[in-house]
Amino acid sequence: MLGRTVNTTTTTDANGRKITKTITRTNTSGNLNVNATEGVKVTKTVTTNADGATVTKIVTTTTTSSPSTTTSPVKVTTTTTNNNTNIKTQNKPNKSKQNKQNKQNKQNNQIQQNNQNKPKPDRRHTIKLNSEKKPSKLQQQISQKINDSIWQNDVEKFYDDRDGKNFSQSDCKGTRKALYIGINYPGTKSPLHGCINDVKSISSLIAKKFGFTSAVVLTDDQSDPKKLPTYDNIINAMDWLVQDAKPGDSLFFHYSGHGGTARDKENDEIDGFDETILPCDYETAGQILDDEINEHLVQKIPKGCRLTALFDSCHSGTIMDLPYTYQCGNNVQAIENDVRREIYKKTNNVVGSIMSGNPVAISNSLQGIFDGSLRKAAANGTDKETIKQRQSKGDVVQFSGCMDNQTSADVTINKVANGVSTTISNGAMSYSIIQLLNEDREYTYNELLTGIRRIMKEKNFTQVAQLSTSRPINMNETFRI
């Protein structure tokens, strides 16, 4: 049974024009109550506009819900003026849903405002130097997937299999020397803000806590040309650092600035690109390649001498070209870089040949998988002759702010001292190391690497810090310099 009521009212507006309003309510539930929650309401309003034309507006509201089930009614508005008709359909907002949405919008606005108040990170890779064609995204994804699967979780076995206990270490009781390099690149297209602060904080900490008083500092805020971090000055300072090094000595190297990549010409890189650091005159003098860093630092460290290096720059994971790398995700993992390098070459060749569509290239690349080179690379790490050769070299430990395919952040941090709020910029890696080493305690390498990872995650840094070494390292060994 249908119930229907009709109400008609006539009024006059301020201009004397008559307004006729007719409201017809029809409920489909059989309930004669005009307030029933299920039915149709039609509101017809007839007026005359300023031009004397008749305007008829009809609003139809249909509700299909019962009192126990609330559904938003559908509202249809029809407006007719001199036979021109416009129709609009809209959902009448549900109050409870609207209140919930308003609350959500308020929360989203608060989150957006908080994010706007957070310091914006500068990326230490914003200078593009290479026009070389890099591996395709597919090649990179496949290589990364394979790379992720070959990291070894049993770091103790990794250490034992490579005779780690018979590698020579420095007792760090001899000469102590340090080299600090911080480059903010002022006046360039890609300035940074935290690199000189990194050097000031790190150099002060290393001098006071570990006694490194003999040091060279190169920053691009100095007036003395000999103290600017130019290509030549950096290379000369590296040579100074390792000059006359002997067993028992402890050397420290810190670089904070832009990191880059350059096409690998010697075919010895995992991803086909050398990792680089950028001196302040890189536009004219060029980048400093990882091969050069290895030549001027790593190769000149004698057996029994320790070099600890800290790189707070992009693409710095394996920038010293050391044989072993450790990283911390959910747990500490280790990898032999020769194996990773060989796997990358093979996947790159296979994917590249398939994408080219050349049958001969595809066949050759697939046959290359089984040529024994991968097995040889895997066995090389535990080969007695290889181990013996590596045991004759210096003791080098490198901390890097990120993996080779990642970027490092330069972030402004708010600090409050004596009621006064100030801001200071630091690199994510330098900041993490400073926070940990400022504590009055000792760390194992495991604790230090996981501590860096923890701080970075707390600060929402996505970069993954890595530890690369010239020797298999016992991660429960005490960190010392």
Side-chain angles (χ1 to χ4, degrees):
M1 176 179 178
L2 300 178
R4 174 178 295 178
T5 61
V6 179
N7 292 324
T8 301
T9 58
T10 302
T11 58
T12 304
D13 65 12
N15 297 317
R17 291 190 288 267
K18 186 169 68 172
I19 302 174
T20 302
K21 190 175 197 179
T22 303
I23 301 176
T24 303
R25 288 186 174 90
T26 303
N27 72 75
T28 58
S29 63
N31 188 345
L32 293 179
N33 181 1
V34 297
N35 294 319
T37 58
E38 183 178 346
V40 179
K41 174 185 175 183
V42 179
T43 302
K44 177 180 179 181
T45 306
V46 180
T47 60
T48 304
N49 64 18
D51 298 325
T54 300
V55 179
T56 303
K57 182 177 181 181
I58 301 175
V59 178
T60 304
T61 304
T62 303
T63 306
T64 59
S65 64
S66 64
S68 61
T69 306
T70 304
T71 304
S72 298
V74 177
K75 180 180 180 181
V76 180
T77 302
T78 304
T79 304
T80 303
T81 305
N82 287 344
N83 297 324
N84 292 324
T85 304
N86 295 318
I87 300 177
K88 296 181 180 179
T89 303
Q90 67 184 52
N91 288 329
K92 184 177 179 181
N94 181 286
K95 287 186 178 181
S96 62
K97 290 184 178 180
Q98 188 64 48
N99 291 337
K100 184 177 181 180
Q101 185 62 45
N102 290 340
K103 183 178 180 180
Q104 184 64 48
N105 290 341
K106 186 176 180 180
Q107 292 176 345
N108 291 340
N109 290 336
Q110 185 63 46
I111 292 173
Q112 184 177 5
Q113 183 177 358
N114 291 339
N115 288 336
Q116 289 174 348
N117 292 334
K118 286 183 178 180
K120 299 292 178 67
D122 291 326
R123 293 295 175 185
R124 298 186 169 188
H125 73 301
T126 49
I127 299 177
K128 294 185 179 180
L129 298 169
N130 299 305
S131 58
E132 299 276 4
K133 184 179 180 181
K134 291 193 174 185
S136 69
K137 187 175 182 180
L138 176 61
Q139 289 170 306
Q140 294 179 31
Q141 288 175 338
I142 292 176
S143 296
Q144 184 62 47
K145 200 70 176 177
I146 296 175
N147 178 60
D148 292 343
S149 67
I150 61 174
W151 283 84
Q152 298 190 32
N153 293 314
D154 192 342
V155 293
E156 291 185 7
K157 185 176 186 301
F158 185 88
Y159 175 81
D160 291 337
D161 287 347
R162 288 155 182 80
D163 195 25
K165 64 182 179 181
N166 287 319
F167 278 74
S168 296
Q169 301 181 40
S170 173
D171 59 13
C172 299
K173 294 181 179 179
T175 302
R176 296 172 185 266
K177 297 168 68 177
L179 170 58
Y180 307 97
I181 303 169
I183 314 176
N184 278 346
Y185 311 90
T188 68
K189 294 180 180 179
S190 303
L192 296 174
H193 303 93
C195 301
I196 294 177
N197 288 335
D198 290 344
V199 163
K200 290 179 179 179
S201 299
I202 291 287
S203 61
S204 176
L205 173 62
I206 297 300
K208 291 179 180 179
K209 186 166 185 175
F210 300 101
F212 284 75
T213 56
S214 177
V216 169
V217 178
L218 302 178
T219 54
D220 56 355
D221 64 342
Q222 302 193 69
S223 58
D224 186 347
K226 295 181 180 180
K227 295 182 179 180
L228 292 174
T230 63
Y231 182 102
D232 288 339
N233 286 347
I234 291 176
I235 294 296
N236 290 336
M238 288 180 177
D239 291 340
W240 166 85
L241 181 64
V242 299
Q243 186 177 8
D244 300 325
K246 58 187 182 298
D249 289 351
S250 181
L251 312 176
F252 187 85
F253 176 90
H254 175 225
Y255 172 80
S256 181
H258 275 304
T261 58
R263 172 62 69 179
D264 173 32
K265 296 180 180 180
E266 298 182 4
N267 198 33
D268 63 352
E269 286 299 320
I270 294 171
D271 57 359
F273 284 82
D274 284 308
E275 289 72 47
T276 68
I277 59 175
L278 276 61
C280 65
D281 60 346
Y282 71 91
E283 291 183 327
T284 56
Q287 308 174 75
I288 298 178
L289 305 179
D290 51 9
D291 296 335
E292 296 174 281
I293 295 171
N294 183 276
E295 175 189 350
H296 288 274
L297 290 179
V298 178
Q299 297 301 326
K300 294 183 179 181
I301 302 297
K303 182 178 179 179
C305 176
R306 167 74 57 80
L307 169 63
T308 304
L310 171 60
F311 285 84
D312 199 344
S313 57
C314 298
H315 314 298
S316 56
T318 61
I319 199 166
M320 298 188 84
D321 282 344
L322 300 172
Y324 311 108
T325 296
Y326 300 79
Q327 70 177 16
C328 179
N330 295 326
N331 57 290
V332 175
Q333 300 171 304
I335 196 169
E336 183 95 33
N337 286 324
D338 284 347
V339 176
R340 184 162 50 154
R341 185 179 294 108
E342 194 62 36
I343 287 177
Y344 184 91
K345 288 179 182 177
K346 291 188 180 300
T347 56
N348 193 39
N349 289 337
V350 171
V351 176
S353 65
I354 292 174
M355 294 177 67
S356 71
N358 186 323
V360 176
I362 295 173
S363 175
N364 291 338
S365 64
L366 290 174
Q367 290 178 29
I369 297 176
F370 308 102
D371 64 3
S373 56
L374 185 56
R375 190 184 307 109
K376 181 179 179 181
N380 189 51
T382 55
D383 178 72
K384 291 184 178 180
E385 287 301 317
T386 301
I387 291 174
K388 185 177 180 180
Q389 182 184 11
R390 290 176 178 173
Q391 286 176 339
S392 67
K393 298 182 180 297
D395 181 10
V396 183
V397 176
Q398 174 212 330
F399 290 92
S400 57
C402 62
M403 297 186 287
D404 284 340
N405 62 346
Q406 288 184 316
T407 60
S408 291
D410 188 33
V411 178
T412 300
I413 300 167
N414 295 320
K415 293 187 176 181
V416 178
N418 299 322
V420 179
S421 178
T422 58
T423 59
I424 183 172
S425 294
N426 281 113
M429 182 63 177
S430 297
Y431 173 82
S432 301
I433 283 282
I434 292 167
Q435 297 304 303
L436 293 170
L437 296 186
N438 265 329
E439 295 184 14
D440 186 20
R441 55 158 294 183
E442 289 185 335
Y443 292 91
T444 64
Y445 281 100
N446 187 23
E447 291 170 337
L448 193 57
L449 189 59
T450 55
I452 292 169
R453 177 61 173 162
R454 172 181 55 80
I455 292 175
M456 285 189 174
K457 289 182 70 174
E458 289 173 354
K459 296 296 181 181
N460 296 318
F461 298 131
T462 57
Q463 62 200 74
V464 178
Q466 291 189 323
L467 170 67
S468 293
T469 61
S470 62
R471 61 181 173 89
I473 196 166
N474 179 355
M475 294 301 290
N476 293 319
E477 176 187 320
T478 301
F479 166 77
R480 61 184 178 183
I481 58 176

